[in-house]
């Protein structure tokens, strides 16, 4: 019987030992089956791939899970702890026996277990020959003895022929008890270097030695497994501790992020409240000033009251006046910033109107000058005609010519005066243009940083690649999001540096004479390469920046600030800028103050 999933319920780590008693009893009573068809199984891991275990494998599995597997619950650890106890206490007899040493197979014709030999194994071939003390040495010694027996040179033949015969042969055999106990140098040597042992005694001794080694190795393996389980437990405990720390850090990070978001929201609400309170206080200030003015008028109407009442009214009027002055000062400070900017705007407006009036006057005088020049030419023509057609002696003709000469001189005098006035007006016009340019520079300096991205009027740097978004969008089609950011900025900055290079002149002249103009050369190699590699939009952006650079600063090749009409996409006039400041910026500035 396996553990049904419904029986799982959460317990704490400290309850594992106590809870393990319940599944242990069920294992003893047979409710949980460990032996199924002669095979050992884990009743708590029925769904696992591995089902059948050996005794050592199953007890290692149970111990490993119970000691502290991170992926197992406390309930599963308690169940496996009970299984480990059950295997040790109830099924220890099913443990695999230690392997027994395999005794060497001895041929009965070679040796009998009861034969007594000299050990370590030795042979006698006229002298004493020593062999290894293990079974390979015994095999070598018996093989030597058999070889001599086949040749008729064994101990038996040596004993038979020892008394007589002159034949010289080499005899050999394994040293046994008879040789060990014999007299002479061979017996003494065997007694000194060896001892008498039977084959069965040596086999039992070797088996005992191997059993001792196996038991020691088993103890070492058991200790190693115990140390390994301790290391696993320590590792799992450290992993669980680290996971708890990571969970706590995650919780703290989330709390910090929530708190930061909350503080930002509170800050926004606080700023909104401050602005609302400021507007409310401003309205209350205006309302109080209005009430004080009404109150002052009412007090003035009550001047006919008694002296005591008038004194009280005077004191109240003084208080009202002092309060009114304070409120007026506050209001005055409130309008100060507006007036400082508006005064500059009005001055620029006045200078513009003066320049326009001077230009109109200059145009009128130019028309008058042209009219006088035509009249002078006409009078000169008439005089020439009269000289050719009239009689020089005719008094009437002379008088008429004199009058025409006088009129001609007057016209010439008027023309000279107009030319002088025209020269003065041209000088004043140049001065007005200089003042207008100075006013534009002043407005650029004052408005830089005050105008937002959504304003109709702005300050544009002519000859500069300001639309970085265009380069980013083109690079996003080729690169990943992060790499596109780097590539887009690099592309934009590279071409901005090319625009500043005065040695690069991608321009050509079109037209002839005074009407000749300088335009961007579309056949320039670098521009053609840019267009082919990055497309029409990037090419047009660089071309526009080149045209602006060539118009505003062709020699220095650096960007120049200019007042710009964002909506119309062109240079803004002073009239548009003044109108924008008067109509759009003034209410916003008053609201901020």
């Amino acid at each position: 019987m396996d553990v049904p999933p419904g029986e799982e319920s959460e317990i704490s780590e400290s309850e594992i030992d106590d809870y393990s008693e319940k599944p242990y009893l069920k294992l003893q009573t047979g409710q949980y089956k460990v032996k199924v068809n002669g095979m050992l199984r884990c009743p708590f891991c029925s769904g696992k791939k591995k089902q059948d275990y050996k005794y050592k494998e199953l007890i290692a599995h149970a111990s490993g899970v119970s000691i502290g597997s991170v992926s197992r619950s406390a309930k599963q650890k308690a169940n496996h702890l009970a299984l480990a106890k059950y295997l040790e206490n109830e099924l220890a007899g099913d443990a695999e026996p230690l392997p027994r040493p395999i005794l060497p197979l001895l041929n009965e014709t070679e040796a009998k277990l009861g034969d007594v030999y000299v050990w370590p194994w030795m042979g006698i071939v006229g002298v004493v020959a020593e062999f290894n003390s293990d079974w390979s040495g015994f095999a070598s010694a018996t093989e030597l003895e058999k070889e001599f027996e086949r040749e008729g040179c064994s101990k038996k033949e040596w004993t038979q022929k020892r008394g007589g015969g002159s034949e010289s042969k080499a005899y050999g055999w394994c040293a046994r008890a008879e040789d060990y106990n014999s007299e002479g140098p061979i017996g003494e040597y065997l007694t000194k270097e060896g001892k008498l042992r039977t084959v069965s005694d040596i086999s039992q001794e070797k088996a005992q030695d191997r059993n001792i080694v196996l038991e020691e190795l088993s103890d070492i393996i058991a200790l190693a497994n115990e140390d390994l389980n301790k290391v696993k437990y320590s590792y799992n405990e450290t992993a669980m501790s680290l996971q708890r720390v990571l969970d706590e850090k995650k919780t703290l990070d989330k709390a910090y992020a929530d708190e930061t978001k909350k503080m930002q929201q509170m800050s926004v609400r606080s700023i909104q409240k401050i602005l609302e309170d400021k507007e409310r206080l401003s309205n209350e200030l205006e309302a109080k000033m209005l009430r004080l003015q009404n109150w002052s008028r009412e007090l003035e109407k009550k001047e006919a009251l008694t002296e005591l009442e008038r004194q009280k009214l005077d004191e109240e009027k003084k208080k009202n006046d002092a309060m009114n002055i304070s409120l007026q000062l506050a209001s005055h400070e409130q309008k100060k910033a507006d007036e400082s900017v508006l005064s500059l705007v009005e001055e620029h407006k006045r200078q513009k109107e003066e320049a326009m009036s001077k230009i109109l006057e200059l145009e009128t005088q130019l028309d008058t000058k042209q009219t006088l020049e035509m009249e002078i030419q006409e009078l000169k023509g008439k005089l020439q005609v009269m000289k050719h057609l009239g009689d020089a002696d005719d008094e009437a003709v002379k008088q008429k010519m004199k009058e025409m000469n006088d009129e001609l001189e007057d016209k010439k005098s008027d023309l000279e005066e107009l030319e002088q006035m025209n020269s003065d007006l041209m000088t004043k016009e140049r001065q007005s243009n200089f003042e207008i340019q100075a006013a534009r520079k002043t407005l650029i300096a004052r408005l830089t940083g005050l105008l937002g991205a959504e304003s109709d009027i702005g300050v544009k740097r002519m000859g500069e690649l300001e639309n970085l978004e265009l380069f980013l969008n083109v690079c996003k089609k080729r690169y990943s999001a992060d790499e596109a950011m780097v590539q887009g900025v690099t592309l934009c900055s590279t071409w901005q540096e090319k625009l500043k290079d005065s040695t690069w002149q991608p321009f050509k002249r079109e037209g002839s004479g005074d009407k000749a103009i300088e335009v961007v050369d579309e056949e320039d190699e670098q521009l053609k390469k840019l267009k082919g590699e990055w497309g029409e939009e990037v090419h047009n952006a660089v071309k526009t920046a080149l045209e602006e650079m060539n118009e505003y600063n062709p020699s220095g090749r650096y960007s120049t600030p200019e007042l710009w009409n964002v909506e119309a996409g062109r240079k803004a006039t002073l009239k548009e800028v003044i109108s924008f400041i008067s109509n759009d910026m003034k209410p916003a500035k008053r609201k901020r103050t």
Side-chain angles (χ1 to χ4, degrees), residues 17-40:
D17 289 336
D18 295 337
Y19 183 82
S20 64
E21 296 178 0
K22 296 180 180 178
Y24 185 80
L25 291 174
K26 292 183 178 181
L27 287 167
Q28 286 182 319
T29 57
Q31 294 184 45
Y32 294 157
K33 297 291 186 183
V34 178
K35 293 186 69 173
V36 179
N37 297 328
M39 299 300 296
L40 298 177

Side-chain angles (χ1 to χ4, degrees), residues 250-263:
K250 184 177 180 181
T251 303
L252 289 175
D253 289 343
K254 186 177 183 302
Y256 173 77
D258 294 341
E259 187 65 22
T260 302
K261 184 178 179 181
K262 183 179 178 182
M263 291 179 66

Side-chain angles (χ1 to χ4, degrees), residues 317-524:
K317 283 178 66 178
K318 289 179 181 179
K319 292 179 180 179
N320 282 340
D321 290 341
M323 188 176 295
N324 194 20
I325 290 171
S326 299
L327 293 173
Q328 288 177 353
L329 287 174
S331 177
H332 177 70
E333 291 295 330
Q334 204 172 26
K335 296 176 181 178
K336 229 175 185 181
D338 294 342
E339 293 175 357
S340 63
V341 174
L342 290 176
S343 61
L344 176 63
V345 173
E346 294 297 335
E347 178 65 20
H348 290 168
K349 186 175 180 182
R350 181 186 64 76
Q351 291 177 359
K352 178 68 176 177
E353 290 175 351
E354 288 180 359
M356 292 299 296
S357 63
K358 289 177 182 178
I359 292 171
L360 292 174
E361 185 178 354
L362 183 63
E363 290 176 351
T364 303
Q365 290 179 359
L366 182 61
D367 292 340
T368 304
K369 177 184 175 183
Q370 291 174 349
T371 303
L372 282 173
E373 288 177 346
M374 291 175 63
E375 289 178 355
I376 289 170
Q377 294 298 326
E378 185 179 356
L379 284 173
K380 286 182 178 180
K382 286 180 180 181
L383 283 173
Q384 293 295 328
V385 171
M386 290 185 71
K387 286 180 181 180
H388 289 292
L389 297 179
D391 188 356
D393 297 330
D394 190 348
E395 291 295 330
V397 173
K398 290 180 179 180
Q399 183 64 33
K400 183 64 176 176
M401 290 179 65
K402 183 178 182 303
E403 292 176 357
M404 291 178 68
N405 280 324
D406 293 339
E407 184 178 0
L408 179 60
E409 292 298 326
D410 291 339
K411 296 291 186 182
K412 288 182 177 180
S413 178
D414 292 340
L415 180 60
E416 290 176 357
E417 291 179 359
L418 282 174
E419 287 179 347
Q420 181 61 39
M421 186 178 296
N422 184 42
S423 176
D424 294 340
L425 286 174
M426 291 293 289
T427 302
K428 290 183 179 180
E429 183 181 11
R430 285 194 295 271
Q431 184 177 358
S432 297
N433 288 334
F434 176 76
E435 291 175 353
I436 289 172
Q437 292 301 320
R440 291 183 73 89
K441 291 181 179 179
T442 303
L443 283 171
I444 290 171
R446 294 287 182 89
L447 294 177
T448 300
L450 295 178
L451 301 175
E454 304 298 328
S455 302
D456 294 337
I457 299 297
V459 177
K460 173 179 170 62
R461 299 197 66 83
M462 310 303 289
E464 190 167 295
L465 298 173
E466 294 182 327
N467 190 4
L468 177 60
E469 189 69 25
L470 171 63
F471 292 85
L472 295 178
N473 290 336
V474 171
C475 289
K476 286 178 181 177
K477 298 177 181 178
R478 302 188 182 187
Y479 306 101
S480 62
D482 293 339
E483 190 176 359
M485 176 66 73
V486 177
Q487 294 293 337
V489 173
T490 303
L491 180 63
C492 182
S493 61
T494 300
W495 279 97
Q496 187 63 58
E497 291 301 318
K498 284 183 179 292
L499 291 172
K500 296 178 182 179
D501 185 6
S502 58
T503 61
W504 182 42
Q505 295 290 333
F507 302 104
K508 65 179 180 180
R509 296 187 68 81
E510 290 185 350
S512 59
D514 296 337
K515 295 183 179 180
I517 58 174
E518 198 171 46
V519 297
V520 176
D521 185 4
E522 297 281 354
E523 298 301 318
D524 180 79

Side-chain angles (χ1 to χ4, degrees), residues 246-274:
L246 292 176
D247 292 341
E248 290 176 1
K249 180 180 180 298
K250 184 177 180 181
T251 303
L252 289 175
D253 289 343
K254 186 177 183 302
Y256 173 77
D258 294 341
E259 187 65 22
T260 302
K261 184 178 179 181
K262 183 179 178 182
M263 291 179 66
Q264 290 176 347
Q265 292 174 348
M266 290 176 62
S267 177
V268 171
R269 287 196 296 268
S270 177
I271 292 172
Q272 291 177 346
K273 186 176 183 302
I274 290 172

Side-chain angles (χ1 to χ4, degrees), residues 214-231:
L214 288 174
E215 289 176 359
E216 291 177 352
L217 291 175
S218 298
D219 293 339
I220 292 172
I221 293 172
L223 290 174
N225 288 333
E226 184 177 353
D227 292 339
L228 178 61
N229 289 333
K230 289 180 180 179
V231 171

